[in-house]
Amino acid sequence: MVIGHTNKNRKKVDSLNTNKQGRQSFRLPQMPIITAWASVAGKKESEGPLAHEFDVTSTDTLFGQKTWEQAEKQMQKIALDTLLKKAGVARQQIGLVFSGDLLNQCIGSSFSLRNTGLPHLGLYGACSTMAESLLLSAMTVGGGFSDRVVALTSSHFASSERQYRFPLGYGGQRTPTAQWTVTGSGAALVCSAGKGPRIASCTIGTVTDLGIQDANNMGAAMAPAAYATIRAHFDDLNTAPEDFDLIVTGDLGQLGKEMLLELAKRDGLSLGGKLTDCGTLVFDRDKQDVHAGGSGCGCSAITLCGHLLNRLNSGKLKKILFCGTGALLSPTSTQQGLPIPGVCHAVCIHGGEN
Amino acid sequence: MVIGHTNKNRKKVDSLNTNKQGRQSFRLPQMPIITAWASVAGKKESEGPLAHEFDVTSTDTLFGQKTWEQAEKQMQKIALDTLLKKAGVARQQIGLVFSGDLLNQCIGSSFSLRNTGLPHLGLYGACSTMAESLLLSAMTVGGGFSDRVVALTSSHFASSERQYRFPLGYGGQRTPTAQWTVTGSGAALVCSAGKGPRIASCTIGTVTDLGIQDANNMGAAMAPAAYATIRAHFDDLNTAPEDFDLIVTGDLGQLGKEMLLELAKRDGLSLGGKLTDCGTLVFDRDKQDVHAGGSGCGCSAITLCGHLLNRLNSGKLKKILFCGTGALLSPTSTQQGLPIPGVCHAVCIHGGEN
């Protein structure tokens, strides 16, 4: 599956050797490079503070399709096509696409890749999918299996609302802790050679659950997982908040972010000043009526594949810890009275050398 | 994430270098070893021809739980615990678990790993998940990221029926092309050292769709994807059906298997005599009233993690191509009149040296 195998001088992966700590993280001495990225955003996202960072924006929330689910598929198609165009790479040169989404059976991802001839491994990591796909792309390139791998995901406000909560036509009142699912898709191209931000290390999350059962307060459900992974990253790789310009969680929103700060503080770790959250960056909470902030796979995807990678590439950011957060619930598990397990995967990205 | 990193003398991955063919497959010169496997099966499966090959069987289809979904979670828990016990490995020694299932938002997988402390990457590959998780485990071990990785999946007849088709209490009539979702869970431990069957190479599938729209004929929907991947494996790695003792598809069932033979024949390739399908192995179609055969992630999982790995380990099988097949539909996509995309991932496994 490798196109132009350039692997001969590849350094060994610097995995961690421990029977105690450290098994969640690995370093990539020959850092895979994010040579291109692309973002597609819906109407509300295009009216927010990051509007100027997206490659494609649309005032048509259906993206020319008949259904919300097909709109989501279409966003992934556009994100992938835009990515390949920006990278100047043909579809045939891509070794593998890691993708997933929130729709039941991930139909946004499988239908977007239908009959494209692209090798595909499907993921389910809920809203952590951008980080999960990026991490696996880095493993694939870092392990010498391919030279060009795509990480791709999406979410859509309307398809999520009707699947997880209520049909939009029902006009249900939203609770103050609720978040607004981002309509958008992000794609990143991870390569063994080229220029751009580089993936230095990753931390794989564990499924963590402190018993939160309120499906309208996902930030709280995910905060413990986010803290566990961030802590593991620091411990495993012997690093600390001050080594980063930013620690960016995926979609904790305002409440989840505050809870994460509190969890860290209780544990003697100060994240203050370094921590931000894509859910608080992507919308203007004062003006856009999104309650606790943005959420969904698309939230961290378009924030990373627009705002963050642009700033890493231009040198405005030197080093960030990108922490995709996911709430691993389903409407069925909630109806059965079960709590909401969370997961968080972290990817340490260095600024480009351009 | 590596436990006892033994990686220093690891050979380079022999990936394929092509701009034309071959990008779907890779070889693993230092073959990851499947040192242990475990299977958990439900009542009907325990009455079938493979009954004696399963580690755990249960006449209680709820596995002591209150709901079918929680029963599925419980099967994964039992499969994982049984695996670790058989391997003599502690939970803390596992670097990573790749798992997924058919339930919306893969709650079987996330709830089974909840608060276990096991690093987890979630997959969605429909019924191809056993092959997908095995392939990614092989990449993780082969790439030097971990020495012990678990591939895990499950399906449950009752949770699948109510999610994809009708509530069981409705008593809907099944069509002759319908398959019976296997109640079971399989787990495999992939290691960098030890004894057991070895993973020699893998082929990653593309999302393939020839326009089949009948959600009660999944075998037909998946057969084109199975053929595309098997053909890619032969072409990419310069091998042929006669090099294998068996080519085993996941859950095409009787009709899908016949369609695959026909697709191969039209393309000038004879699979006859080598091809079998887990869906036709796991049940006795004459006696068990399963129509076209077994299906579900659990179908290929318990057939592999019982019957096939036992035979590979004892030397009765020298080399097989294990081809996990998945139908990437959802009830929503079917209701919206869309066809059923299929995917198939192939893993070439050599017999053990015991």
Coordinates of all heavy atoms in Angstrom, one line a residue, chain A residues 89 109 121 181 247 265 270 277:
Chain A
V89 N -2.2 16.0 -5.0 CA -2.0 14.6 -4.9 C -3.2 13.9 -5.6 O -4.4 14.4 -5.4 CB -1.8 14.1 -3.5 CG1 -2.1 12.6 -3.3 CG2 -0.5 14.5 -2.9
S109 N -19.3 8.2 6.4 CA -17.9 7.8 5.9 C -18.0 6.7 4.8 O -17.3 6.9 3.8 CB -17.1 7.2 7.1 OG -17.0 8.1 8.1
L121 N -10.2 2.1 6.3 CA -10.5 1.4 7.6 C -11.4 2.3 8.4 O -11.1 3.5 8.6 CB -9.2 1.1 8.3 CG -8.3 0.1 7.7 CD1 -6.9 0.0 8.3 CD2 -9.0 -1.3 7.7
T181 N -24.1 20.7 17.9 CA -23.2 19.8 17.0 C -22.8 20.6 15.8 O -23.7 21.2 15.1 CB -24.0 18.6 16.5 OG1 -24.5 17.9 17.7 CG2 -23.1 17.7 15.7
I247 N -3.0 23.5 24.9 CA -3.6 22.1 25.0 C -5.1 22.3 24.6 O -5.8 23.1 25.2 CB -3.5 21.7 26.5 CG1 -2.0 21.5 26.9 CG2 -4.2 20.4 26.7 CD1 -1.8 21.5 28.4
K265 N -6.7 20.7 38.7 CA -6.3 21.4 39.9 C -6.3 20.5 41.1 O -5.3 20.5 41.9 CB -7.3 22.6 40.1 CG -6.8 23.7 41.0 CD -7.8 24.8 41.1 CE -7.8 25.5 42.4 NZ -9.0 26.4 42.6
S270 N -1.7 22.5 37.0 CA -2.3 23.7 36.5 C -2.3 23.7 35.0 O -1.2 23.7 34.4 CB -1.5 24.9 37.1 OG -1.9 26.0 36.4
D277 N -10.6 24.9 24.1 CA -11.4 23.8 23.6 C -12.0 24.2 22.3 O -12.5 25.4 22.2 CB -12.5 23.5 24.7 CG -13.5 22.4 24.3 OD1 -13.1 21.3 24.4 OD2 -14.6 22.7 23.8

